[in-house]
Amino acid sequence: MCRLFGLSAAPRQVRATFWLLDAPDSLSAQSRRMPDGVGLGTFTAHGSTRVEKQPIAAYKDAQFAREARERESPTFVAHLRYASTGGLELRNTHPFEQHGRLFAHNGVLEGLDELDAELGDYGGLVHGDTDSERFFALITQRTDRHGGDVTAGIADAVRWLADRVPVYALNLVLTTDSGLWALRYPDTHDLFVLERAAGGPHGGRHLDHAGRAGIRTRSAELAGFPAVVVASERMDEDPGWRSLAPGELLHVDGRNRAQVTTILDHPPRHLLTLAQLGETAAASQRGR
């Protein structure tokens, strides 16, 4: 399945090094395990977005993902894509940018014709073929309706989707230059959060997180500063990792304060099972 990673140290700009495909030997053992795309989203000191991403249509493309990238940003979002809709093209690779926000998604939703009709003029924000970018455009639309309130926009968009179209999973990470949001919905996939104290549980330790399926990040500066981390899996031995409950939306504000709100307490009206997905979509959602 796709892998999500988010980190906020806001309001501080911190340096972190990312390898979007770590452990190349294990990943290259079987070509079917290679992701279909990788991406990293950060913000400059002036608040501008920086998106680095690459579809992996051939083995040689994986070199992009294995290169170490040291970036400085208050928030980070990284994504490994296993394609469910849309071809292996740059425009279909996460994260996506809209209105100065960055977004990555793990899951599948159907009913795209109905969603396109609901988007109206906001459909112009969609440059690729994915359900994910359409989901993001709906959040952008709803955020504008709520006067720029991202929390309200996500809640509105997710409730509309849960009521109107078939949904398999809507797990997401959304970042701005001063905030991070993460949603787990419904209970299809896990999404973990760690409110990490400066230096980790024992103090004085740099951050060094590595997922089984790829994403790895290190930050020496987080030996001295707190951060909030979100990931599709627990990425180290810190006992503070916990799973978001289905329907919980995490918001980390510009002072690194985390708040969790339950925005839905019931499953989607049209909850899809793995067996109901097409072959490509089903393959993208299985554990790897």
Side-chain angles (χ1 to χ4, degrees):
M1 65 180 181
C2 300
R3 301 287 172 167
L4 294 172
F5 178 89
L7 185 151
S8 176
R12 298 176 181 87
Q13 289 261 346
V14 297
R15 288 186 179 86
T17 302
F18 282 82
W19 295 263
L20 298 175
L21 278 186
D22 194 25
D25 291 340
S26 63
L27 282 168
S28 63
Q30 301 181 64
S31 61
R32 66 180 177 83
R33 296 182 65 190
M34 189 65 68
D36 297 312
V38 295
L40 174 66
T42 55
F43 291 85
T44 70
H46 302 292
S48 300
T49 59
R50 178 175 185 173
V51 177
E52 302 165 88
K53 57 185 181 179
Q54 175 73 39
I56 301 179
Y59 184 81
K60 61 182 176 63
D61 296 331
Q63 184 58 38
F64 172 91
R66 292 187 177 129
E67 295 171 351
R69 284 176 172 74
E70 183 178 90
R71 300 292 177 255
E72 187 172 5
S73 180
T75 64
F76 302 80
V77 57
H79 186 266
L80 264 66
R81 179 186 185 222
Y82 292 91
S84 58
T85 59
L88 306 189
E89 302 175 55
L90 187 65
R91 63 180 187 160
N92 293 328
T93 307
H94 307 224
F96 302 103
E97 188 275 334
Q98 294 177 12
H99 292 194
R101 306 179 190 107
L102 301 176
F103 174 88
H105 165 230
N106 175 20
V108 177
L109 59 107
E110 297 183 351
L112 298 187
D113 288 344
E114 184 172 0
L115 177 52
D116 286 340
E118 180 68 14
L119 288 175
D121 292 343
Y122 283 80
L125 296 173
V126 180
H127 303 293
D129 309 309
T130 66
D131 54 348
S132 302
E133 195 178 17
R134 289 174 167 91
F135 179 18
F136 188 19
L138 186 66
I139 291 172
T140 301
Q141 179 197 69
R142 296 309 208 253
T143 297
D144 286 352
R145 288 187 185 178
H146 289 276
D149 185 333
V150 176
T151 299
I154 292 173
D156 193 344
V158 170
R159 289 167 184 156
W160 187 90
L161 292 169
D163 186 59
R164 299 293 294 272
V165 303
V167 167
Y168 184 72
L170 298 177
N171 286 15
L172 67 86
V173 174
L174 187 155
T175 57
T176 66
D177 64 345
S178 61
L180 178 149
W181 290 258
L183 171 74
R184 180 188 178 199
Y185 183 75
D187 62 355
T188 310
H189 298 311
D190 285 321
L191 192 60
F192 294 92
V193 58
L194 172 65
E195 296 182 51
R196 187 180 191 270
H202 306 297
R205 290 286 304 275
H206 64 275
L207 180 142
D208 190 348
H209 283 169
R212 292 170 299 167
I215 298 169
R216 181 182 179 187
T217 183
R218 291 175 56 92
S219 175
E221 292 186 7
L222 291 181
F225 300 120
V228 179
V229 185
V230 176
S232 299
E233 56 185 319
R234 294 180 177 89
M235 297 181 71
D236 68 5
E237 73 286 353
D238 194 311
W241 286 101
R242 65 179 183 85
S243 179
L244 289 174
E248 284 191 338
L249 175 64
L250 168 75
H251 175 213
V252 185
D253 69 13
R255 298 178 65 182
N256 211 42
R257 297 174 300 191
Q259 180 177 358
V260 174
T261 305
T262 300
I263 62 170
L264 273 173
D265 60 3
H266 57 272
R269 177 175 296 191
H270 308 289
L271 178 61
L272 294 168
T273 66
L274 196 63
Q276 291 173 310
L277 300 180
E279 182 178 351
T280 299
S284 76
Q285 298 303 301
R286 294 189 180 99
R288 290 172 186 261

